[in-house]
Amino acid sequence: MAFLDNSGDILLDAVLTDTGRFRMARGDFKITKFALGDDEIDYSLFNRSHPSGSAYFDLEILKTPILEAFTNNTSAMKSKLMTISRTNALHLPVLKIHNGGYQGTAGGDSPQTKTNGTLGTYVVTVDTNTEDRSNSLVESNVNSKGVILGTAPGDTTATNFVRIETGLDTTQVSPAIDLPIDLQENQFIVEMDDRLGHLLDVAGTQVPVSFIDDDQIASYYLSANANAGGDLIVGPKDRIRGNGADTPQGNPTVHKVRGPRGKMLQFKLKPNINLATSTYLFEKLGSSVTQTADNTPVNGFKSGKTYLYIDTYIRVTAATTGASIDVPVRYLKKSGTS
């Protein structure tokens, strides 16, 4: 919903969610909770050097037009506001894509979380024809190139997966300090287009979907307390700084979050069977591209081949703090059989 200014009158513009419409039709609609967001606010407009003084520092922000309510639930409330009781918090938790972490670190699993080097997205192959390593993939080990082998999620050689970090991304607080308990995250909501793919744990087991709305957006509600496979939500890998004198043995941290770190969400993706058996959605929602070199435009695939693709985003939201991030994904299908 949104407030609209109509010639001095303030109007409330509200759009019901799918669940709201269902309950209104059933006759038991009642608002019990609400969330606030600041998606349209650009805080860089705060001007400390305004010639009229401090009362005008936020003038441009106050002039920002307020967006109308969206009927598409995937386009609204990306930046939810949160309430915490402490007043001495200088930094709030963020979500960051691990993307290989810092290379050359101890532990050895950082390359398994990389995005594609030329696209900046995770690339998910949708069928065995696309994964034919004699025809398509440049080399047997494509995990370091940001490729998730979609047809072999349980294959131990298909090691690439998505990892999302949480924590305070600042150098002003040491990562050796525990993240305050009221800023720790133990629950996540993952939203993705169910027509395109499904969520898996790192071992390759499909995660049950919690809800699918009328736009075919599937929501997965994940909790550390119900982490059956043990590898969906895990703790931080280390408490080492990225660099500096306190870095032991010259090894930097594996983390992209620079300050205190919380839980990490990690998962694989399995393409919908429709992508593997048909080109319909690729023709309706996607496009095609021809490789001009082994790393252009998609790193890890041989030149001279044509691929169909669909670009999409998977939204990950921290249920406690409300922080969110969009994970870019490209579903890739080799055109033809040769």
Side-chain angles (χ1 to χ4, degrees), residues 167-209:
L168 307 182
D169 190 29
T170 175
T171 58
Q172 298 180 20
V173 185
S174 171
I177 298 175
D178 290 334
L179 189 67
I181 191 169
D182 57 337
L183 299 182
Q184 293 181 17
E185 191 56 62
N186 292 303
Q187 300 177 85
F188 297 89
I189 302 170
V190 179
E191 298 170 279
M192 58 188 296
D193 195 324
D194 194 63
R195 297 171 300 173
L196 304 181
H198 310 291
L199 194 71
L200 308 176
D201 63 22
V202 175
T205 302
Q206 188 163 327
V207 179
V209 65

Side-chain angles (χ1 to χ4, degrees), residues 11 27 45 57 85 92-93 118 131-132 162 172 177 190 197 202 210 220 256 258 284 295 300 303 305 318 334 336 338:
L11 304 179
L45 297 176
F57 286 179
S85 57
L92 293 178
T118 54
E131 295 171 3
D132 184 350
V162 181
Q172 298 180 20
I177 298 175
V190 179
V202 175
S210 301
Y220 298 83
K256 288 296 181 71
R258 297 170 294 174
K284 184 177 181 180
N295 61 352
S303 62
K305 306 295 181 180
K334 186 166 170 290
S338 61

Side-chain angles (χ1 to χ4, degrees), residues 6-318:
N6 186 17
S7 301
D9 296 327
I10 296 179
L11 304 179
L12 178 64
D13 178 32
V15 176
L16 293 179
T17 64
D18 301 319
T19 302
R21 290 194 295 271
F22 170 75
R23 291 184 176 176
M24 177 168 284
R26 196 171 61 182
D28 61 354
F29 175 77
K30 183 180 180 180
I31 298 175
T32 58
K33 297 179 180 179
F34 67 91
L36 301 175
D38 58 355
D39 290 356
E40 59 266 270
I41 305 302
D42 181 0
Y43 291 101
S44 67
L45 297 176
F46 190 81
N47 182 13
R48 293 182 178 274
S49 60
H50 197 285
S52 299
S54 59
Y56 295 85
F57 286 179
D58 60 352
L59 181 61
E60 293 302 319
I61 294 179
L62 295 175
K63 290 181 178 179
T64 302
I66 302 299
L67 302 177
E68 294 187 14
F70 291 103
T71 56
N72 185 347
N73 59 295
T74 61
S75 301
M77 298 292 287
K78 288 189 175 182
S79 303
K80 292 182 180 179
L81 303 182
M82 62 176 290
T83 300
I84 57 175
S85 57
R86 291 188 297 108
T87 59
N88 61 346
L90 299 179
H91 306 278
L92 293 178
V94 298
L95 304 184
K96 297 192 75 172
I97 298 176
H98 187 71
N99 190 18
Y102 286 104
Q103 299 304 300
T105 59
D109 72 339
S110 292
Q112 299 178 8
T113 66
K114 285 184 68 64
T115 60
N116 189 265
T118 54
L119 294 177
T121 72
Y122 290 94
V123 176
V124 181
T125 53
V126 303
D127 57 23
T128 54
N129 183 42
T130 308
E131 295 171 3
D132 184 350
R133 298 177 185 183
S134 63
N135 270 336
S136 303
L137 300 184
V138 172
E139 56 189 36
S140 59
N141 180 18
V142 293
N143 300 292
S144 62
K145 298 182 182 297
V147 178
I148 298 176
L149 300 180
T151 66
D155 187 347
T156 56
T157 63
T159 56
N160 201 47
F161 57 90
V162 181
R163 174 182 284 164
I164 307 297
E165 299 186 42
T166 67
L168 307 182
D169 190 29
T170 175
T171 58
Q172 298 180 20
V173 185
S174 171
I177 298 175
D178 290 334
L179 189 67
I181 191 169
D182 57 337
L183 299 182
Q184 293 181 17
E185 191 56 62
N186 292 303
Q187 300 177 85
F188 297 89
I189 302 170
V190 179
E191 298 170 279
M192 58 188 296
D193 195 324
D194 194 63
R195 297 171 300 173
L196 304 181
H198 310 291
L199 194 71
L200 308 176
D201 63 22
V202 175
T205 302
Q206 188 163 327
V207 179
V209 65
S210 301
F211 177 73
I212 301 177
D213 68 14
D214 60 350
D215 297 317
Q216 294 299 303
I217 300 299
S219 297
Y220 298 83
Y221 297 89
L222 311 175
S223 172
N225 297 327
N227 192 9
D231 60 5
L232 271 173
I233 301 176
V234 299
K237 291 290 184 180
D238 63 57
R239 295 170 178 262
I240 306 172
R241 287 187 184 273
N243 50 52
D246 61 343
T247 303
Q249 292 83 46
N251 290 325
T253 176
V254 302
H255 289 278
K256 288 296 181 71
V257 171
R258 297 170 294 174
R261 295 144 191 160
K263 293 285 197 303
M264 298 187 297
L265 173 67
Q266 50 190 35
F267 56 86
K268 287 184 178 180
L269 298 168
K270 178 182 179 181
N272 192 302
I273 191 172
N274 292 330
L275 297 187
T277 59
S278 170
T279 62
Y280 172 74
L281 286 176
F282 286 99
E283 294 167 354
K284 184 177 181 180
L285 304 176
S287 187
S288 64
V289 65
T290 300
Q291 286 286 103
T292 58
D294 288 350
N295 61 352
T296 307
V298 187
N299 190 23
F301 293 82
K302 281 189 174 179
S303 62
K305 306 295 181 180
T306 299
Y307 296 89
L308 305 175
Y309 69 88
I310 298 175
D311 286 332
T312 185
Y313 285 94
I314 297 175
R315 181 184 296 182
V316 176
T317 304

